[in-house]
Amino acid sequence: MTEDASSSGHLSQGGLDLRLDRNGAFAREISLDGEELFRGIGFVVRDVNWGTADLPAEARLQRQEGRVTATAGGALDRSAGDLTWSVAWTVTDRMVEARARASSASGFDTNRTGFVVLHSLGAARGRPVAVTHSDGRVEETRFPELVSPHQPFFDIAAMEYETAAGHRLRLAFEGEVFETEDQRNWTDASYKTYCRPLARPYPYRIEPSSTVEQLVRLEILSRATAAPHAPGDGPAVRKTAPFPVLGTSLPPGPVTLTQADAIRALGLGFTAIEIDPSEPSWLEEARAKVAAAAGPLRIDIRGAAVGTRAILEALAPTLVDRPAIGVSLWDADDAAVAAAREILPGTVIGAGTGAFFTELNRTTRWPAADYLAWTSNPTVHGSDDDTIGETTEPLEEILASAKAKLPVRRLQIGPMTLGLRYNPNATSPEGRRRSAAPDPRQGQVIAAAWVAGTVAGFLDPDVETLAFFEPSGPKGLIADDGAWTPAGHLLSRLSRCCAGRPASVLRWTGHPRLCGLQIEMNDHDALCIAHLRNERVAVALPEGIWRSAEELTPTGFVDRPVDGFDIGPFAVCWLLRPR
């Protein structure tokens, strides 16, 4: 037997592989004979506003013949109270078992403390599943194909299903009642089985007299008789559509000189001005932004079901003689849309939500607006690099779900940001209005790779516009010191040369986070390739002679060789081919 503290706990037993986080709380990328079964199984602590607590610890591994065990634990001490936690793992070639224990000396307020299981889309999508309920009754059902607006499975004690590759799995849960939600609503590439049921009150309190004890056991009942489909060589065209208009967004608050300068420098297709009418100075700020934002505008109004007429009447004089691609009335009803058409004749009026696709998906009826809108960010349930990359995978399925359900086929998506702009699910007014702190990756290439992957995922004839980030600042495309971020370089190039051009999305079999945007120019084709996984891969280029290539760096695009083309982790490359 050997024992070690591991910062990169890769565990492998007879074809069953997983990666254990350094703190030992989460096992990720659980795969069997090459098929990813689960994005992860792990212990999480969510605060009263659904924020995920950091759990500092270091796992200790013990390796012996046919088995690996790991243990970890730590303590939290915050305003919600104290919490002591521990997790123990056992991994063999036929099983992954996790046990967790948590207790508090003074009491701890939480929305969720316990295990979650993230079923990988490729393995589970549309597959039949037998759900055992807490009373022993077995329900035969399926993982949803389209994005389910509400939980597809409730009251879960166990689940049994066969994956797409043919592996037969059983999950058993102890210590709490579990249920499943479709995380594609928030752009995660998984279905999540979690505790505790959302129908129970939250926040709830872990009292000093109680102890949380839970178990999740994954059993491999049988293996596939054939290996998963091997990766192909060249890319396949997934879909073709006109390239959308790309823009950026000014959030509620005062406009700055650097924002106005950045809007002019970037030369994007539009600027979305977000208005929060609950702010006392909203009208003065909106007027200043309209004056500062060169080029076409879109006005996005939060909570537009209340006081819409008065808001629009106050705003209308500011919009005279300004080209507007739309006025979005988030959370509006029919009366609000009718008032907007009366006050702003000839203006394209949108409805929808300033929050996640979830809110749009869960509504049974939207007003008959000209377009519908929603926003997005890749860090709702996790903030690691891999999670950001993962959120580009289900975007095509989100669009398919929207088209199957929504009455309006014109879509404008965004603003999209790395962190929450505001939290509609927080349990206090302050929590709902609070935006996330700036993400240090805003100025890194990973942010640009996420932009490219998101554009590829949302490329569709019905998607008219996509808005990203802010023009400048710590959440912007250009830093306050004037330095362009990689995302700024990429968006400016895509916007200036590609808007309205015929574009195709390319995908490579076996690489769900490798995507290409091939755009037809007058005398050449441009190919933007983005890779959103922490590995380097060889890339087979489309047929033809690609004469030049550039790679995006923290300071902009630089030349690179075309021959023997490969791409690194979270990278973006740009190639040209004469036509």
Side-chain angles (χ1 to χ4, degrees):
M1 177 187 299
T2 61
E3 180 173 338
D4 63 276
S6 176
S7 61
S8 178
H10 176 256
L11 310 182
S12 181
Q13 290 290 316
L16 181 63
D17 294 274
L18 62 86
R19 176 173 56 84
L20 191 65
D21 281 0
R22 181 187 182 95
N23 68 356
F26 223 104
R28 302 185 188 274
E29 298 176 354
I30 302 171
S31 64
L32 181 64
D33 298 337
E35 183 190 36
E36 185 182 272
L37 310 177
F38 299 94
R39 292 266 70 227
I41 298 174
F43 177 79
V44 299
V45 177
R46 305 294 297 273
D47 66 23
V48 297
N49 289 319
W50 293 106
T52 302
D54 184 33
L55 301 176
E58 188 162 328
R60 299 203 68 84
L61 308 182
Q62 290 186 335
R63 304 176 190 267
Q64 51 188 309
E65 185 68 27
R67 178 183 299 261
V68 179
T69 59
T71 56
L76 295 174
D77 189 4
R78 45 176 53 194
S79 59
D82 69 282
L83 187 76
T84 300
W85 64 274
S86 63
V87 182
W89 298 87
T90 302
V91 180
T92 72
D93 63 346
R94 302 191 67 84
M95 181 192 74
V96 177
E97 181 181 275
R99 294 179 178 270
R101 189 177 190 276
S103 60
S104 176
S106 62
F108 186 77
D109 294 323
T110 180
N111 283 357
R112 175 177 300 147
T113 293
F115 279 119
V116 298
V117 174
L118 309 179
H119 309 255
S120 295
L121 285 182
R125 183 193 296 106
R127 303 296 299 173
V129 56
V131 177
T132 302
H133 298 294
S134 56
D135 61 1
R137 179 173 49 91
V138 177
E139 176 188 4
E140 301 289 343
T141 182
R142 284 180 178 271
F143 286 96
E145 290 270 9
L146 296 178
V147 181
S148 176
H150 300 287
Q151 295 96 321
F153 318 136
F154 294 93
D155 183 24
I156 302 171
M159 307 173 75
E160 186 173 326
Y161 61 98
E162 185 177 285
T163 69
H167 302 300
R168 189 97 194 152
L169 313 178
R170 178 177 172 82
L171 284 163
F173 305 93
E174 296 179 12
E176 183 56 275
V177 176
F178 284 69
E179 62 189 28
T180 300
E181 69 185 9
D182 194 333
Q183 287 212 124
R184 293 175 294 178
N185 279 296
W186 299 272
T187 70
D188 298 72
S190 61
Y191 308 96
K192 178 169 69 178
T193 299
Y194 60 89
C195 66
R196 64 186 195 160
L198 291 177
R200 296 184 185 177
Y202 62 86
Y204 64 97
R205 188 168 179 82
I206 299 175
E207 299 290 352
S209 59
S210 65
T211 299
V212 175
E213 292 185 292
Q214 293 180 14
L215 175 144
V216 177
R217 180 184 296 111
L218 163 65
E219 298 176 73
I220 311 300
L221 301 181
S222 64
R223 296 188 184 229
T225 56
H229 184 70
D233 292 327
V237 175
R238 179 68 61 88
K239 54 184 175 178
T240 299
F243 199 86
V245 179
L246 303 180
T248 187
S249 173
L250 288 170
V255 68
T256 67
L257 180 61
T258 56
Q259 287 171 330
D261 291 342
I263 290 170
R264 286 189 291 270
L266 289 162
L268 301 183
F270 69 100
T271 302
I273 296 175
E274 186 172 342
I275 293 172
D276 183 355
S278 68
E279 296 286 349
S281 57
W282 74 265
L283 182 56
E284 177 185 348
E285 292 171 354
R287 288 169 176 162
K289 290 172 185 171
V290 169
L297 303 174
R298 188 181 74 205
I299 305 297
D300 297 335
I301 303 176
R302 293 186 187 179
V306 179
T308 306
R309 179 171 291 276
I311 294 166
L312 292 175
E313 286 177 343
L315 189 62
T318 305
L319 301 180
V320 173
D321 298 326
R322 285 303 306 267
I325 65 171
V327 173
S328 306
L329 307 178
W330 290 338
D331 308 312
D333 54 18
D334 283 318
V337 172
R341 287 182 171 144
E342 176 187 338
I343 297 166
L344 301 170
T347 301
V348 178
I349 304 299
T353 176
F356 320 111
F357 176 72
T358 323
E359 313 305 319
L360 199 71
N361 201 22
R362 289 178 176 172
T363 301
T364 56
R365 182 181 180 278
W366 285 101
D370 298 310
Y371 66 89
L372 288 175
W374 70 89
T375 72
S376 181
N377 81 83
T379 56
V380 176
H381 294 120
S383 58
D384 58 289
D385 292 354
D386 187 63
T387 296
I388 288 179
E390 169 194 335
T391 61
T392 62
E393 292 186 43
L395 304 184
E396 293 180 26
E397 293 165 35
I398 289 174
L399 281 182
S401 303
K403 290 183 174 191
K405 177 178 184 178
L406 301 178
V408 177
R409 296 297 292 269
R410 296 173 61 182
L411 304 173
Q412 297 199 30
I413 306 173
M416 289 173 278
T417 50
L418 291 183
L420 283 167
R421 294 165 22 268
Y422 65 94
N423 186 354
N425 300 316
T427 56
S428 68
E430 297 79 11
R432 283 190 289 272
R433 294 178 65 173
R434 186 181 305 121
S435 65
D439 193 304
R441 291 164 294 192
Q442 184 71 40
Q444 298 175 13
V445 176
I446 184 175
W450 176 73
V451 166
T454 300
V455 173
F458 281 144
L459 185 78
D460 189 272
D462 293 341
V463 176
E464 299 177 340
T465 70
L466 299 171
F468 291 94
F469 303 138
E470 300 173 15
S472 67
K475 299 181 181 181
L477 298 168
I478 298 178
D480 282 335
D481 63 3
W484 286 46
T485 67
H489 283 286
L490 178 65
L491 277 169
S492 183
R493 178 176 287 193
L494 288 172
S495 183
R496 291 175 188 271
C497 70
C498 301
R501 309 291 305 186
S504 298
V505 175
L506 307 183
R507 298 288 185 183
W508 285 259
T509 302
H511 298 287
R513 298 191 207 159
L514 180 65
C515 64
L517 284 163
Q518 187 168 310
I519 305 104
E520 297 180 19
M521 306 299 186
N522 289 332
D523 58 357
H524 67 275
D525 291 330
L527 175 60
C528 177
I529 300 177
H531 184 222
L532 285 124
R533 194 176 179 88
N534 191 23
E535 62 184 3
R536 179 171 290 275
V537 296
V539 179
L541 297 175
E543 292 182 358
I545 300 175
W546 296 89
R547 296 195 179 280
S548 65
E550 298 172 279
E551 185 162 351
L552 188 56
T553 73
T555 57
F557 285 95
V558 298
D559 293 339
R560 60 152 292 171
V562 177
D563 295 336
F565 200 83
D566 64 358
I567 190 168
F570 305 103
V572 178
C573 292
W574 185 274
L575 299 95
L576 297 179
R577 176 181 65 183
R579 297 187 69 193

